Amino acid sequence: MKTFASDNFASVHPNILKALNDCNNEHEFAYGYDKYTETAISKFKELFGEHIDVYFVFNGTGANVLSISTLLKSFNSVICASSAHINVDECGAFENFSGAKLNLIETIDGKIKKEDIQKYLHAIGVEHHSQPKVVTISQPTELGTLYTIDELKELSDFIHNNNMYLHIDGARIANSIVALNTTLKEMIVETNIDILSFGGTKNGMMFGEAVIFFDKNLSSDFKYIRKHGLQLYSKMRYISAQFIEYLSNELWLKNAEHSNDCAKYLEKKIKEIKEIEIVQKVETNGLFVKIPKDKIEILQKKYYFYVWDEEKSIVRFMTSFDTTKEDIDNFANYLKKNIN
Amino acid sequence: MKTFASDNFASVHPNILKALNDCNNEHEFAYGYDKYTETAISKFKELFGEHIDVYFVFNGTGANVLSISTLLKSFNSVICASSAHINVDECGAFENFSGAKLNLIETIDGKIKKEDIQKYLHAIGVEHHSQPKVVTISQPTELGTLYTIDELKELSDFIHNNNMYLHIDGARIANSIVALNTTLKEMIVETNIDILSFGGTKNGMMFGEAVIFFDKNLSSDFKYIRKHGLQLYSKMRYISAQFIEYLSNELWLKNAEHSNDCAKYLEKKIKEIKEIEIVQKVETNGLFVKIPKDKIEILQKKYYFYVWDEEKSIVRFMTSFDTTKEDIDNFANYLKKNIN
Amino acid sequence: MKTFASDNFASVHPNILKALNDCNNEHEFAYGYDKYTETAISKFKELFGEHIDVYFVFNGTGANVLSISTLLKSFNSVICASSAHINVDECGAFENFSGAKLNLIETIDGKIKKEDIQKYLHAIGVEHHSQPKVVTISQPTELGTLYTIDELKELSDFIHNNNMYLHIDGARIANSIVALNTTLKEMIVETNIDILSFGGTKNGMMFGEAVIFFDKNLSSDFKYIRKHGLQLYSKMRYISAQFIEYLSNELWLKNAEHSNDCAKYLEKKIKEIKEIEIVQKVETNGLFVKIPKDKIEILQKKYYFYVWDEEKSIVRFMTSFDTTKEDIDNFANYLKKNIN
Amino acid sequence: MKTFASDNFASVHPNILKALNDCNNEHEFAYGYDKYTETAISKFKELFGEHIDVYFVFNGTGANVLSISTLLKSFNSVICASSAHINVDECGAFENFSGAKLNLIETIDGKIKKEDIQKYLHAIGVEHHSQPKVVTISQPTELGTLYTIDELKELSDFIHNNNMYLHIDGARIANSIVALNTTLKEMIVETNIDILSFGGTKNGMMFGEAVIFFDKNLSSDFKYIRKHGLQLYSKMRYISAQFIEYLSNELWLKNAEHSNDCAKYLEKKIKEIKEIEIVQKVETNGLFVKIPKDKIEILQKKYYFYVWDEEKSIVRFMTSFDTTKEDIDNFANYLKKNIN
């Protein structure tokens, strides 16, 4: 059976598995000096342009922490939403690896605005305070919401005008591309993002994420940082072969489109249950809903899910590339039956 | 002339200087194995009891960062007010040295309550989140306000019931003892504080702070942490001799009483100036006042002071052990004359 | 074609790939709370005993750095051979993650003796020096040599008598078990090793290593350290399924036996080439040979390999589970032809 | 009585104490923005030239660790003699603060040569290895020996030709200037040293060391690193006033000359004792001698001293600015009487 706990409860897309089987031939250079990695990188260049630098790592926490750290000195700070994965869900990995500080912004919907950043800029040049250097946002946010392209552009301009960099945690970047009916070039390149963590594992891959630098001056240290950040994979071809397949025939977009559509359908079904309140706009594949506190444990028994805010009794449901209409119908029925 | 910028603009009390001159004899064991250090420690034991462990360090940032770090593993977090010195004014020293995370609490007056701590306790046992281990508060707070002894007791009980430790940043601890008309035993020992950073530099000493552990199980690592935290002073007698004098004849209390009284007097004078609004209760030696934004630079020219909140135009005035009534009268007149 | 550069140039064993295909069903709990992980752990318990604690990570550097760090405070040091992977080949990952120090021992053959450890013990209790807490050895060593079981026992006793822990980097642990004709129980459990990094990637797996704790008191923090050390894999079943297969039907031993045998055969062939001198005993699957400096680049063109010691012109050849007799014959002929 | 344990057992020179008394007037800007600091910096510029950048810190460990860290990224390494203070005597402070690695060189006399550095340069550009960026030497070395100016020049050229920086730990820099009958300009500026830790505490000051940057491009981050490295002193004038006095009327040179002369006299006296062997050239104020192992504890009872090498029974004697001929005569007699 399928849960709605997270898109990382899902399996691996059959095409990805086939690609892993197909690349299992003979010897290859280790650590990324193989032909599959070369091809995977060229696939990314088709999407983003020739000017990028691409590195593969094991997981999303690795992609975020290491890529942001590349831009930092130990006395810097990174500005992010308090709901950011890097703040809440990585067990302090960022602070531990970088030795730097997070400057948090409280938000309603996971999105930060340039006005929120302003207050941290007074610190610049004053030795008593951490020096802001990077802003990191998630697209979609951890609350499933989206920055519009105009919002990204405005944020990016403001950040660059203040001599800082903009990083995007794109663990579910495909879902945002589909939802906004846009392209990576338009959403990422033309808005002048500096670094993108490009996720695959939550959308049908087995493992592996990509870090994309849009300025080669920023990436020159990354190969060392990846290695001593415990994220250099020896048999790299087995990540690269996945990405080649993932980026071919729009598999990444099709998977994301499917899970977004499933979320919309689940939203429709949940709206029929008056005891559940949807508290965030459903823009990608996550639903944030308020349910009666005393029902949480009962509901989790069959369909495990995560509690997002214990105080407010908000929980998260997610769809994934392998969710079916039938799964949703069953789940909605189960909710309806058990919540009364 | 005297400013009202900070108590660390002040000079050294003459008795402290005399003590430094008097101890300048012959050779002494380095690194704290000298007779002055032994005596200074016994002075602290008179005030707190025989069960304590005392270590001297160079400065307040060292005292806070190193003593709290002693209690932590790299995946822990420390809960504090967002206004805490350790969060705002130490250039990220805490995160950098400990590799751990700060969990922040927004406050009105710099004081945190047990209800504020609650939300971070949901993280306990869940590997995705930093594990809360220490709560650190400042007494007085960075906003000059005070926890009552009952508040300290309640906080301490709650914290210990949740298997955490309570650290106090006592950079101005003397000012709080005087203001609350209490003793260290009553305020610190009987409320079961775990570690105290006991400040001296802001109250008439030349340099040196003490870290006091109230449970020897917590202090066993500290000598190594002090050393590799860059805070082991070779010619230790020159801190110890200061503390001997500071704790003798109630010099520490007299100095603090004087600066608190000066703050009260300055408060009275400022209340006469209708353009200035006092925004925090004046309980120790700091005043937080809102002044017209366009007057800040003009006023700073003669009497330099720090801007506390640029957005709200709040600035800080401080008195110190060497402030005189005349200094205050002159300053108040200057404010009055220049603010209209 | 196959190289002799490293066992991580090799492909994935077909049985492992099949296991990955077979587990690709439906949803599973993420982060190791799935049924495959439960089974994989029980497989390890069959080999080592019920008292162990097992955690899976992505790679060997992760296994070493994180497991050793679990035992350390920031002021500790770890004693190892200067040839240790953790010292030479992890780009400083150990120092960076742990903040602790390596105390190095120069060796001829990669093996350290208790006499070598002695000199670092004078530091104990003295605050000016890092405090030794862990000794880490590699079995087989990075030079392909082996500790006998008696040597392991003697080292382990000495280390424990001095209140330290013994960690083994077992990236190629299977090769040592086969070479010594022993069992994990005899070599690891009965010699009282504290932590073992159990490798799989170099012996036919796609990715994933296991960290094995032999005392549950030592492992209680590891789940947090793995997460904030960037090594918690979300879709954990895909490591676990590999380990289930790897430990079934002695696949791990068969693969290692094959590569050891290949090394012996290559040794025999190389001994026929008088220009090449074998400089380390060939006990597992690595050969360290001295070749004329001016021939290195020429030879690398067809069969890439790593130079081990530039000054002494020593290079490394490795065999792997998929090396064939024909591969070796071809390689030996190539060497013979091109080295004259 | 006076010991020969270390120059940090000594007291503070009376002129320095007087300077502390004299600067104890009114309020001064904190954190180094005061007039004494301005003057002290200009004193350093007289000695080194106008192009330098000077920062004051509390102690030598702070000066070394923070100044070297300024030049590093986390994946870098620093090359030093295995006898270096930063390796042996700072409890791992360097690794902990910088997260970087030390690459050690074994020496006979504490001095490293360019040939020793060579082997670490093979790592450059290879992501598996820490990237060498700084060489740090001590002048005089921890063994009391000296680099000649020609040796410094040769080392410096080699280091710069390999795109690295050269740092000098000058905890006892004055003793080397006197011993080599040279100037700071000749020994430091003309040899193109990049950063110097300029010590004062071991030569008559109470506390405080200076970090001198000879290229302002290297120092731009240091104010932040000093702050978050726990080494920014609030009442900075009390370090600065000491340095003003220390650098006036050649006090720093006179003190060093006196302690060097004392060491020569002690050397002469010790040569008369046949049971003691002097094992390093006596060039500054330290003597390294081999004494019978069973006499160490007896001798330490009256005159405490440090054991340098337990295995070889080598101990260290040091003279200081306040040692007298009579002190030496008494000590030599005591040694003679107790060693037979």
Coordinates of all heavy atoms in Angstrom, one line a residue, chain A residues 7-27:
Chain A
D7 N 7.2 12.0 -0.1 CA 7.6 11.5 -1.4 C 8.9 10.7 -1.3 O 9.2 10.1 -2.3 CB 7.7 12.7 -2.4 CG 8.2 14.0 -1.9 OD1 8.7 13.9 -0.7 OD2 8.1 15.0 -2.5
N8 N 9.5 10.7 -0.1 CA 10.6 9.8 0.0 C 10.3 8.4 0.5 O 11.1 7.6 0.8 CB 11.8 10.4 0.7 CG 11.5 10.8 2.1 OD1 10.6 10.1 2.8 ND2 12.1 11.8 2.7
F9 N 9.0 8.2 0.7 CA 8.5 6.8 1.0 C 8.3 6.1 -0.3 O 8.1 4.8 -0.3 CB 7.2 6.9 1.7 CG 7.3 7.1 3.2 CD1 8.0 8.1 3.8 CD2 6.6 6.3 4.1 CE1 8.1 8.3 5.1 CE2 6.6 6.5 5.5 CZ 7.4 7.5 6.0
A10 N 8.3 6.8 -1.4 CA 8.0 6.2 -2.7 C 9.2 5.3 -3.2 O 10.3 5.3 -2.6 CB 7.8 7.3 -3.7
S11 N 8.9 4.5 -4.2 CA 9.9 3.6 -4.8 C 10.7 4.4 -5.8 O 10.7 5.6 -5.9 CB 9.2 2.4 -5.4 OG 8.3 2.9 -6.4
V12 N 11.4 3.6 -6.6 CA 12.2 4.2 -7.7 C 11.5 4.0 -9.0 O 11.0 2.9 -9.2 CB 13.6 3.5 -7.7 CG1 14.4 4.0 -8.9 CG2 14.4 3.8 -6.4
H13 N 11.5 5.0 -9.9 CA 10.8 4.8 -11.2 C 11.5 3.7 -12.0 O 12.7 3.6 -12.0 CB 10.9 6.1 -11.9 CG 10.0 6.2 -13.1 ND1 10.3 5.6 -14.3 CD2 8.7 6.7 -13.2 CE1 9.3 5.7 -15.2 NE2 8.3 6.4 -14.5
P14 N 10.7 2.8 -12.6 CA 11.3 1.7 -13.4 C 12.3 2.1 -14.4 O 13.3 1.4 -14.6 CB 10.1 1.1 -14.1 CG 8.9 1.6 -13.3 CD 9.2 2.8 -12.6
N15 N 12.2 3.2 -15.0 CA 13.2 3.7 -16.0 C 14.5 4.0 -15.4 O 15.6 3.7 -16.0 CB 12.7 5.0 -16.8 CG 11.5 4.7 -17.6 OD1 10.8 3.7 -17.5 ND2 11.1 5.7 -18.5
I16 N 14.5 4.5 -14.2 CA 15.7 4.8 -13.4 C 16.4 3.5 -13.1 O 17.6 3.3 -13.3 CB 15.4 5.6 -12.2 CG1 14.7 6.9 -12.5 CG2 16.6 5.7 -11.3 CD1 15.7 8.0 -13.1
L17 N 15.6 2.5 -12.6 CA 16.2 1.2 -12.3 C 16.8 0.6 -13.5 O 17.9 0.0 -13.5 CB 15.1 0.3 -11.7 CG 15.2 0.0 -10.2 CD1 14.1 -1.0 -9.8 CD2 16.6 -0.5 -9.8
K18 N 16.1 0.7 -14.6 CA 16.7 0.1 -15.9 C 18.0 0.8 -16.2 O 19.0 0.1 -16.7 CB 15.7 0.3 -17.0 CG 16.1 -0.3 -18.3 CD 15.0 -0.4 -19.4 CE 15.5 -1.0 -20.6 NZ 16.7 -0.5 -21.2
A19 N 18.1 2.1 -16.0 CA 19.3 2.8 -16.4 C 20.5 2.3 -15.5 O 21.6 2.2 -15.9 CB 19.1 4.3 -16.2
L20 N 20.2 2.0 -14.2 CA 21.2 1.5 -13.3 C 21.7 0.1 -13.8 O 22.9 -0.2 -13.8 CB 20.6 1.4 -11.9 CG 20.5 2.7 -11.2 CD1 19.8 2.5 -9.8 CD2 21.9 3.3 -10.9
N21 N 20.7 -0.7 -14.2 CA 21.1 -2.0 -14.8 C 22.0 -1.9 -16.0 O 23.0 -2.6 -16.2 CB 19.8 -2.8 -15.1 CG 19.2 -3.4 -13.9 OD1 19.6 -4.4 -13.3 ND2 18.2 -2.7 -13.3
D22 N 21.6 -0.9 -16.9 CA 22.2 -0.8 -18.2 C 23.7 -0.3 -18.1 O 24.5 -0.5 -18.9 CB 21.4 0.2 -19.1 CG 20.1 -0.5 -19.5 OD1 20.0 -1.7 -19.3 OD2 19.3 0.3 -20.1
C23 N 24.0 0.5 -17.0 CA 25.3 1.1 -16.9 C 26.3 0.1 -16.2 O 27.4 0.5 -15.9 CB 25.3 2.4 -16.3 SG 25.2 2.4 -14.5
N24 N 25.8 -1.0 -15.8 CA 26.6 -1.9 -15.0 C 27.6 -2.8 -15.8 O 27.5 -4.0 -15.8 CB 25.7 -2.8 -14.1 CG 26.4 -3.4 -13.0 OD1 27.2 -2.8 -12.3 ND2 26.2 -4.7 -12.7
N25 N 28.4 -2.1 -16.5 CA 29.3 -2.8 -17.4 C 30.8 -2.5 -17.1 O 31.1 -1.3 -16.9 CB 29.1 -2.3 -18.9 CG 27.7 -2.8 -19.3 OD1 27.4 -3.9 -19.2 ND2 27.0 -1.8 -19.8
E26 N 31.6 -3.4 -17.0 CA 33.0 -3.2 -17.0 C 33.5 -2.2 -15.9 O 32.7 -1.8 -15.0 CB 33.5 -2.8 -18.4 CG 33.3 -3.8 -19.4 CD 34.0 -5.2 -19.2 OE1 35.1 -5.1 -18.6 OE2 33.5 -6.2 -19.6
H27 N 34.7 -1.7 -16.1 CA 35.2 -0.7 -15.1 C 35.0 0.7 -15.6 O 35.0 0.9 -16.8 CB 36.7 -1.0 -14.9 CG 37.0 -2.1 -14.0 ND1 38.2 -2.3 -13.3 CD2 36.2 -3.1 -13.6 CE1 38.2 -3.4 -12.6 NE2 37.0 -3.9 -12.7

